[in-house]
Amino acid sequence: MNRYFGSVLALALVAGCAHKDTNSFEVVPSQTSGVYLKEGERAPASAPQIEWTRGTLAFNVTGAVSEGTVTDEVKVTQEMVWMETEYFTDTRAEYQDFVVPGTCSDFKCSAGAGKSALWDAFYSATGEQKAAALDQAISGIGIVSAKNLVAKGYFKSKPRSWDEFAREINTAASRDVIKKSVATLVVENSRYENITKLGYGSNSCQEVKRACDLYITKLVQVPFQNSREVPRRRIVETKTFKVTVNVSGSVLLPDEKDSITVKIDQNGKVAALDSNGYNNYAIASETVEGQNVKVDIKAVSRILRPLSNNMIRQESYVLVAGKPTFILDIDPTMIPGKEDPNAQLVLDYTVEVCEYGWTGTCGWSEWKKAKMTSAVINAARTTIVTDVPRKHKSQIQYRVTRKNSIYFDSKGLNERETDEIKMPK
């Protein structure tokens, strides 16, 4: 591993690269896809494709140094790639019936019952309307169970008592025509409603309670065997290149970083150059001599940053010795130095005043702009004394902008407004 010029260039290899001693460098995490198989493992389940995978050299450029060099080995692999079906245990949500202890009700009613307009509608309906009519007649049955009952020939004749009706429902449940939980819902949970709706309530009925098993429905996670297609890879050939990258022209503050990735193809040519950070880079030149690759990349433009609102540490507008005084504290690291020689941190501000009345408020008076001016911020604290007439309130609206900077844009911070202060009468 070579490192030149004293620049801070952090190097780490990603997928397809050999790893060397990088104790003094910032590691860039590798990104891989697929599963690499070894000799003797199972054969592909689909026709494989042969492809070259680019070798990658990734490193970070940090600090205010604009030049540097990185050298390391980059491995480019030819790989056999295919898709294979993988089976695994998965889960899905299903509704299932569960038995719980409970109390059931038997109704002993006189014969000749069942006179109901809902029964009449069911027995006069035809085709698909018949299941819909049964769903309307029986509370708790649901359209799915109603269709199953009609399809299997249940309720061919009208039950003449509640016992007959309950027996028909329970028989269908015991034969898995409907769920047992549906039968519980119809003959137990909705029994009073169904007795009335179906015409069994006008007779003399005796309710007899007994202990029984009830069926309820719960949503549960059920395991099942699922499958998915996964990529498989096997390296069939490896080419190793010694790659040297020279970086120049980077414009960075000490706390900034550019991440650069150079991708090499099977011929040693640069296939892609990616960067993430504050500079845009381009390839200035590249040469390939056997297994030795030399690439010169240059920063071609700087991405200008917006000023951070956090640069304003504190502001105050108060009377000091009877004079309205504006005090602004900023982050001292934001004051331009030698690294940004033409930059200026500019404070544009406006003093607004209004005459207040006996109530202490401006009332009928309007706020007026008494002074509009600018000042250059050269220190962490800026103090501005304003001249405001007696019996007037005042406040300051201001904006901070960094002009002519090679690091920051000139949009500046959003306009801010201080508290109001009142001059004595």
Side-chain angles (χ1 to χ4, degrees):
M1 182 79 67
N2 300 321
R3 186 177 174 204
Y4 306 105
F5 301 112
S7 65
V8 185
L9 284 175
L11 167 67
L13 299 178
V14 296
C17 307
H19 186 76
K20 299 178 116 181
D21 181 10
T22 59
N23 292 335
S24 60
F25 300 96
E26 180 182 353
V27 175
V28 178
S30 62
Q31 300 290 331
T32 60
S33 61
V35 177
Y36 287 85
L37 299 184
K38 300 177 181 179
E39 292 294 334
E41 294 186 331
R42 55 187 175 183
S46 62
Q49 302 293 324
I50 302 297
E51 63 182 38
W52 284 97
T53 299
R54 297 167 179 173
T56 302
L57 179 61
F59 54 93
N60 295 324
V61 180
T62 62
V65 182
S66 61
E67 313 188 319
T69 299
V70 176
T71 300
D72 212 304
E73 290 184 346
V74 174
K75 294 184 181 298
V76 181
T77 58
Q78 188 182 56
E79 300 177 3
M80 181 171 63
V81 185
W82 69 94
M83 300 300 293
E84 193 165 89
T85 302
E86 179 181 82
Y87 295 93
F88 64 99
T89 300
D90 203 351
T91 59
R92 59 173 170 244
E94 290 184 358
Y95 283 99
Q96 292 186 356
D97 287 342
F98 288 84
V99 180
V100 295
T103 301
C104 294
S105 296
D106 294 330
F107 288 87
K108 304 300 181 181
C109 304
S110 60
K115 293 181 180 180
S116 166
L118 292 171
W119 274 134
D120 294 342
F122 169 69
Y123 285 106
S124 63
T126 58
E128 295 182 356
Q129 296 178 350
K130 205 167 187 64
L134 189 62
D135 181 32
Q136 289 292 319
I138 304 175
S139 295
I141 196 68
I143 189 61
V144 174
S145 297
K147 287 181 178 179
N148 291 340
L149 290 171
V150 171
K152 295 295 184 180
Y154 286 82
F155 295 109
K156 287 184 177 179
S157 61
K158 180 168 62 177
R160 295 298 177 180
S161 69
W162 174 258
D163 282 346
E164 289 185 19
F165 171 79
R167 191 180 306 115
E168 189 84 342
I169 291 292
N170 289 326
T171 299
S174 66
R175 295 174 180 174
D176 293 328
V177 176
I178 62 174
K179 289 179 178 276
K180 293 180 175 64
S181 58
V182 173
T184 297
L185 186 61
V186 170
V187 300
E188 296 299 334
N189 298 358
S190 304
R191 61 186 182 276
Y192 296 118
E193 185 178 354
N194 283 323
I195 285 174
T196 302
K197 287 174 62 176
L198 300 176
Y200 302 116
S202 61
N203 300 280
S204 176
C205 295
Q206 181 183 3
E207 183 178 5
V208 179
K209 294 186 178 295
R210 57 181 172 82
C212 65
D213 289 334
L214 297 178
Y215 291 86
I216 61 172
T217 300
K218 289 184 179 181
L219 186 65
V220 297
Q221 295 294 323
V222 179
F224 72 101
Q225 282 297 108
N226 202 352
S227 64
R228 58 192 168 204
E229 296 296 310
V230 295
R232 303 290 185 183
R233 313 179 78 91
R234 177 176 292 156
I235 297 174
V236 296
E237 183 181 350
T238 300
K239 291 185 177 182
T240 302
F241 296 93
K242 183 179 181 181
V243 180
T244 299
V245 179
N246 299 312
V247 182
S248 63
S250 303
V251 180
L252 293 168
L253 289 169
D255 64 338
E256 294 179 337
K257 177 181 71 174
D258 285 341
S259 297
I260 301 176
T261 302
V262 179
K263 296 184 179 181
I264 305 298
D265 67 13
Q266 67 271 23
N267 300 314
K269 292 287 187 179
V270 176
L273 171 64
D274 299 321
S275 63
N276 183 30
Y278 298 97
N279 290 274
N280 295 311
Y281 293 87
I283 298 174
S285 65
E286 61 175 309
T287 58
V288 180
E289 296 180 356
Q291 303 305 110
N292 296 312
V293 178
K294 181 180 179 182
V295 183
D296 295 325
I297 64 175
K298 184 177 182 179
V300 293
S301 62
R302 160 78 188 196
I303 302 172
L304 299 180
R305 292 169 53 182
L307 290 178
S308 170
N309 287 321
N310 294 331
M311 69 175 290
I312 304 295
R313 295 290 176 83
Q314 182 177 318
E315 68 172 44
S316 62
Y317 187 45
V318 294
L319 288 174
V320 179
K323 291 286 188 179
T325 304
F326 176 44
I327 302 173
L328 182 66
D329 293 336
I330 67 166
D331 182 352
T333 64
M334 296 304 297
I335 299 172
K338 294 180 181 180
E339 80 287 347
D340 203 1
N342 297 318
Q344 286 185 314
L345 202 60
V346 176
L347 171 65
D348 299 307
Y349 67 96
T350 301
V351 181
E352 294 187 331
V353 299
C354 75
E355 185 177 359
Y356 62 85
W358 65 272
T359 61
T361 62
C362 289
W364 52 269
S365 178
E366 294 183 354
W367 286 92
K368 299 177 182 179
K369 291 178 171 59
K371 183 178 182 180
M372 297 178 63
T373 188
S374 301
V376 177
I377 299 175
N378 293 314
R381 169 164 287 189
T382 300
T383 303
I384 297 174
V385 180
T386 64
D387 187 15
V388 177
R390 299 177 70 85
K391 293 183 60 178
H392 281 71
K393 283 187 173 183
S394 64
Q395 65 180 17
I396 291 181
Q397 293 183 344
Y398 71 95
R399 181 195 300 270
V400 176
T401 306
R402 185 153 169 163
K403 300 181 182 295
N404 306 315
S405 175
I406 61 175
Y407 299 102
F408 297 91
D409 63 34
S410 58
K411 295 178 182 178
L413 300 179
N414 293 331
E415 189 174 72
R416 297 184 174 214
E417 186 176 85
T418 66
D419 294 334
E420 300 173 9
I421 60 173
K422 184 168 63 174
M423 293 293 291
K425 294 182 180 180

